[in-house]
Amino acid sequence: MMQQQDQSTEGKRTREHAVKLSDKDFAFICKFIYQNTGIVLNESKREMLYRRLTRIVRERQLSSFSDYCQLLKTQGDKEKDYFINAITTNLTSFFRENHHFEYLIKEELPRLMKTKATMANGKKRLRIWSSASSTGEEPYSIAITLNECMEKVLAKWDVKILATDIDSNVLAKGKTGIYDIKRIEDLTKHRKEHNFYQGCGNSQNSVKVHDKLKSLITFKQLNLLHDWPMKGPFDVIFCRNVIIYFDKATQQDLFARYYELLAPGGLLFLGHSENLGNYQQYFENVGRTIFRKPM
Ligand SMILES: C[S@@+](CC[C@H](N)C(=O)[O-])C[C@H]1O[C@@H](n2cnc3c(N)ncnc32)[C@H](O)[C@@H]1O
């Protein structure tokens, strides 16, 4: 009886040890995430971090968060990537913040169709970057918009949509182009029918985007904090609902780099709760969270 009690007390102690996220470990994790992703975590995110870390510590069969911090210090990029994937918030949807797509349809694409010069290859060049593309709903919404607006002329255009994200899991999901059917339930009947195939048999609750959309998009892993290999210029850049996780200095640094990569007259879309801060003076505000680089 006495022995049983000892064992259960010991078990409880071990569990308590395992579930306690010390201030020191929390500080280490916050710094690690900030240095590797730019994402700022503070006390308000402690609960979220705790939940996600608990899952990883269990998966790794470790007995404490300190052990996991040690693992992050000693293991190479593989553990780091796994951890970053677990920490990022990937919320997105098709035609999220629809006013941006409306602006493309009503203002920007008609303007570009009128003004774009034909290149030596006889085509007109259009480059769009979805710079935190998550699981792909954003770049596919851009591709659907282009198809709707430019379908008749698209063959005469050299169109490329670059979709990047730091998280390798969401990119892999985006590349498949396969989604739960519920993800498109708010789209119009026309959009559903013209852009998605519904699966059958075991896959009847899934849809797959048409190849004509997939062929416009290239998915690539890219950490916004690192060097950007592409030269641009981009006609449109989507930077939505990502800088919200960064501090002001990182945001300003990114805006300068987006500005450089945009063509004169190019557009930058930000998320609903984001703004350019001091960088606003270099752009013209042409709509809700829509900014144009001057010609
Ligand atoms: C909330 S989602 C936004 C998705 C989409 N832009 C939208 O508005 O619906 C934020 C995305 O930013 C990505 N992200 C976070 N830090 C990043 C970084 N340093 N470089 C590139 N992507 C990052 C995350 O992986 C996540 O998929």
Side-chain angles (χ1 to χ4, degrees):
M1 179 68 186
M2 191 64 183
Q3 203 189 1
Q4 242 177 13
Q5 212 172 26
D6 278 356
Q7 273 171 3
S8 82
T9 312
E10 184 53 34
K12 194 167 167 236
R13 229 182 264 131
T14 313
R15 276 196 304 280
E16 273 170 6
H17 179 59
V19 294
K20 191 171 175 341
L21 176 60
S22 69
D23 289 347
K24 185 169 163 238
D25 291 339
F26 180 63
F28 169 79
I29 296 282
C30 291
K31 190 168 168 205
F32 185 90
I33 287 291
Y34 179 70
Q35 285 174 340
N36 286 288
T37 68
I39 296 171
V40 178
L41 296 173
N42 52 31
E43 251 337 287
S44 71
K45 295 283 188 292
R46 195 169 178 136
E47 202 43 50
M48 176 280 287
L49 191 70
Y50 179 84
R51 269 184 273 112
R52 295 186 192 184
L53 270 171
T54 303
R55 183 172 54 76
I56 301 178
V57 165
R58 277 205 197 111
E59 281 167 6
R60 298 284 181 265
Q61 300 189 326
L62 297 170
S63 55
S64 71
F65 292 122
S66 300
D67 286 353
Y68 189 62
C69 292
Q70 199 52 34
L71 195 74
L72 280 175
K73 280 179 208 159
T74 52
Q75 296 282 314
D77 284 348
K78 203 158 166 248
E79 191 58 38
K80 186 168 87 181
D81 286 353
Y82 186 88
F83 184 50
I84 290 173
N85 288 355
I87 292 304
T88 53
T89 299
N90 309 117
L91 183 78
T92 188
S93 58
F94 286 101
F95 291 91
R96 182 181 193 186
E97 298 175 46
N98 189 43
H99 63 281
H100 289 155
F101 301 96
E102 288 294 314
Y103 191 87
L104 282 180
I105 293 169
K106 292 192 182 127
E107 306 285 339
E108 195 58 7
L109 294 175
R111 185 185 80 81
L112 290 171
M113 284 193 278
K114 268 192 218 138
T115 56
K116 272 274 176 173
T118 305
M119 299 179 306
N121 65 3
K123 298 210 169 193
K124 295 183 179 204
R125 182 183 181 280
L126 180 63
R127 294 289 182 269
I128 301 183
W129 179 22
S130 164
S131 70
S133 61
S134 188
T135 37
E137 287 85 338
E138 182 175 279
Y140 285 121
S141 302
I142 299 169
I144 292 171
T145 304
L146 294 185
N147 259 301
E148 285 175 1
C149 234
M150 304 170 67
E151 193 160 21
K152 291 199 186 89
V153 296
L154 214 52
K156 293 187 193 137
W157 283 69
D158 167 19
V159 178
K160 288 196 174 112
I161 301 166
L162 175 65
T164 64
D165 201 284
I166 194 173
D167 182 332
S168 54
N169 287 342
V170 294
L171 287 166
K173 167 81 183 162
K175 271 184 207 167
T176 67
I178 298 172
Y179 297 92
D180 190 296
I181 199 161
K182 289 200 191 93
R183 306 281 298 160
I184 64 163
E185 66 190 3
D186 290 337
L187 300 192
T188 61
K189 192 164 176 278
H190 181 271
R191 278 192 174 151
K192 284 179 196 161
E193 286 175 359
H194 284 76
N195 298 291
F196 299 88
Y197 302 108
Q198 185 171 356
C200 42
N202 286 344
S203 306
Q204 64 178 347
N205 290 329
S206 299
V207 291
K208 186 169 188 196
V209 298
H210 283 190
D211 286 347
K212 69 178 180 197
L213 304 178
K214 279 179 119 184
S215 65
L216 296 176
I217 305 172
T218 306
F219 286 94
K220 281 249 181 295
Q221 190 174 26
L222 180 76
N223 184 341
L224 289 171
L225 261 51
H226 293 171
D227 287 342
W228 300 347
M230 44 303 174
K231 297 207 165 46
F234 286 95
D235 300 289
V236 182
I237 298 179
F238 282 70
C239 168
R240 307 191 311 165
N241 305 302
V242 61
I243 56 149
I244 188 87
Y245 300 106
F246 302 155
D247 59 18
K248 282 272 171 271
T250 309
Q251 291 181 1
Q252 296 294 298
D253 179 51
L254 284 177
F255 294 145
R257 297 169 75 198
Y258 284 127
Y259 185 92
E260 279 305 306
L261 267 198
L262 274 173
L267 287 183
L268 178 66
F269 291 113
L270 298 186
H272 59 283
S273 54
E274 298 166 334
N275 64 68
L276 288 173
N278 289 338
Y279 230 80
Q280 168 78 61
Q281 59 183 309
Y282 300 105
F283 286 86
E284 188 192 345
N285 188 187
V286 293
R288 185 154 43 107
T289 53
I290 309 176
F291 303 93
R292 189 182 294 286
K293 175 175 170 173
M295 288 287 182

